[in-house]
Amino acid sequence: MKDDGTRSAAEADGEAGRGAAVVVGGGLAGITAALSLADAGLRVTLLEGRPRLGGLAFSFKRGELTVDNGQHVYLRCCNAYRWFLDRVDGTALAPVQERLDVPVLDAGRNRLGRLRRTALPVPLHLAASLATYPHLSLAERASVGRAALALKGLDPADPDLDGKDFGSWLAAHGQSARAIEALWDLVGVATLNAVAGDSSLGLAAMVFKTGLLSQPGAADIGWARVPLGDLHDTLARKALDSAGVRTELRTRVTSISRTENGGWLVQVPGEEIRAETVVLAVPQHETHDLLPDGALDEPDRLLDIDTAPILNIHVVYDRKVLKRPFFAAIGSPVQWVFDRTDASGLTEGQYLALSQSAAHDEIDAPVAALRERYLPELERLLPAAHGAEVRDFFVTRERTATFAPTPGVGRLRPGARTKAPGLYLAGAWTATGWPATMESAVRSGISAARAALSALDRPRDHLFDVEEAA
């Protein structure tokens, strides 16, 4: 305050930013952070450069179809994402299986197997399924059981595990190439977006211990029965509006800087937004470019967090060729296939989506080459596809779909707090303990909000407790 009773410009700026928060990025991490901060009474502005919310889990129109950019699933153990669905009133639109049941087709042997659970306690809940799993020999099944028990004894938080690869650990525990293909990579590639040899042992241990060796129903699979945009854009925007969040789309942040009073100035084209709290919920390379000096000790380590691609192949047939809602395949380049007919709005024929993780070798392949490879594979896996007319075939590519879960990545992933007061980080790539999943993204948003509210001495009782749910 000046001697004449008027406020200085710095004081005025400080009052303008007090109690205000800016969240940069409108993916699941940013939406979660914004909702959590707004629920605590902060004035929140959410800025997203795209014309929609949802990050890399979104939908778009292709003629009369509503298409997801890729098939996304979650597990019953994904408690934070389930909280998110509940928070945006979307739980009924993305139900979970009553019990884990994964049909697995062996293309080479033309044989169907199933990975199913019972209601028995862990690890007996999978014993019957493993004992009759036709894609492994009796000796391989016994070896898998021994490896699972050894995996249960690992601590995923042990930093020594982060530097080792899962493939070497499996080989050291007697797992054959067939066992890795038919079981370990069947699950691991879909959740980690990397084969066992390219995956951190710590992250792999976390996935298998949490999903298969914690609670009987932990690995039950859930997925959206509507387009992802209905959940992550339409319902999310409704929840943000109801919480009082100002959401600005097509708005790219160009810089973040300190103000004289210690607050933050967020620059977007045509506007300067002042805030007491800023959450950066954007990919690691974009975060690196926006970080002010001194926010992290070694900011260039963010650039060492590599990315991994996911390829999605979309096929529309003139008739029904798949009776099941989904299946996984081995002995084939096809990985997971989902029936998206009803969700897309298709009224005639059937629409299948193939989710191809760790697709380094094919992410840039021409559509014609992918068509030539995958249509015969679908006919090999699905006899009903013989003679069916392919009415549409198209591809969606996410070249940077996830961070790469390579050995040593754990030491590169920063936590929510930075060294700059009032500045926090969120994103599936931050130190959540999880691989790059929707669960990891939501957990990161909650962690960033918790850190921010703690610094502001604001109530945090309303926040989902990610530690308790771990």
Side-chain angles (χ1 to χ4, degrees), residues 176-257:
S176 66
R178 176 68 176 180
I180 292 174
E181 177 196 15
L183 183 65
W184 298 107
D185 268 353
L186 184 79
V187 175
V189 170
T191 52
L192 294 162
N193 200 21
V195 297
D198 294 336
S199 300
S200 156
L201 175 56
L203 280 174
M206 183 271 153
V207 165
F208 284 95
K209 283 192 65 172
T210 304
L212 297 178
L213 301 171
S214 60
Q215 299 292 329
D220 299 345
I221 299 173
W223 67 96
R225 306 311 200 269
V226 297
L228 286 173
D230 288 8
L231 300 172
H232 301 158
D233 186 15
T234 304
L235 288 181
R237 267 198 256 188
K238 182 179 178 181
L240 290 164
D241 289 345
S242 297
V245 176
R246 171 195 170 196
T247 302
E248 297 292 339
L249 304 178
R250 295 186 176 88
T251 304
R252 190 163 297 280
V253 174
T254 56
S255 68
I256 297 171
S257 58

Side-chain angles (χ1 to χ4, degrees), residues 28 33 64 68 89 119 137 165 170 281 284-285 290 311 328 339 351 399 447 457 467:
L28 295 182
E64 296 183 356
D68 289 347
D89 293 329
S137 68
D165 77 271
L170 289 173
Q284 57 268 35
H285 286 211
L290 290 173
L311 175 72
D339 179 4
Y351 164 25
R399 292 175 174 82
S447 295
D457 198 24
E467 298 302 326

Side-chain angles (χ1 to χ4, degrees), residues 17-23 37 42-43 45 263-264 266 274-279 421-424 448-449 451-453 455-456:
R18 193 165 294 122
V22 171
V23 177
L37 294 172
L42 272 65
R43 302 190 314 277
T45 299
W264 292 99
V266 180
R274 286 170 169 75
E276 191 174 9
T277 299
V278 173
V279 177
L423 180 65
Y424 306 92
L453 295 174
L456 295 170

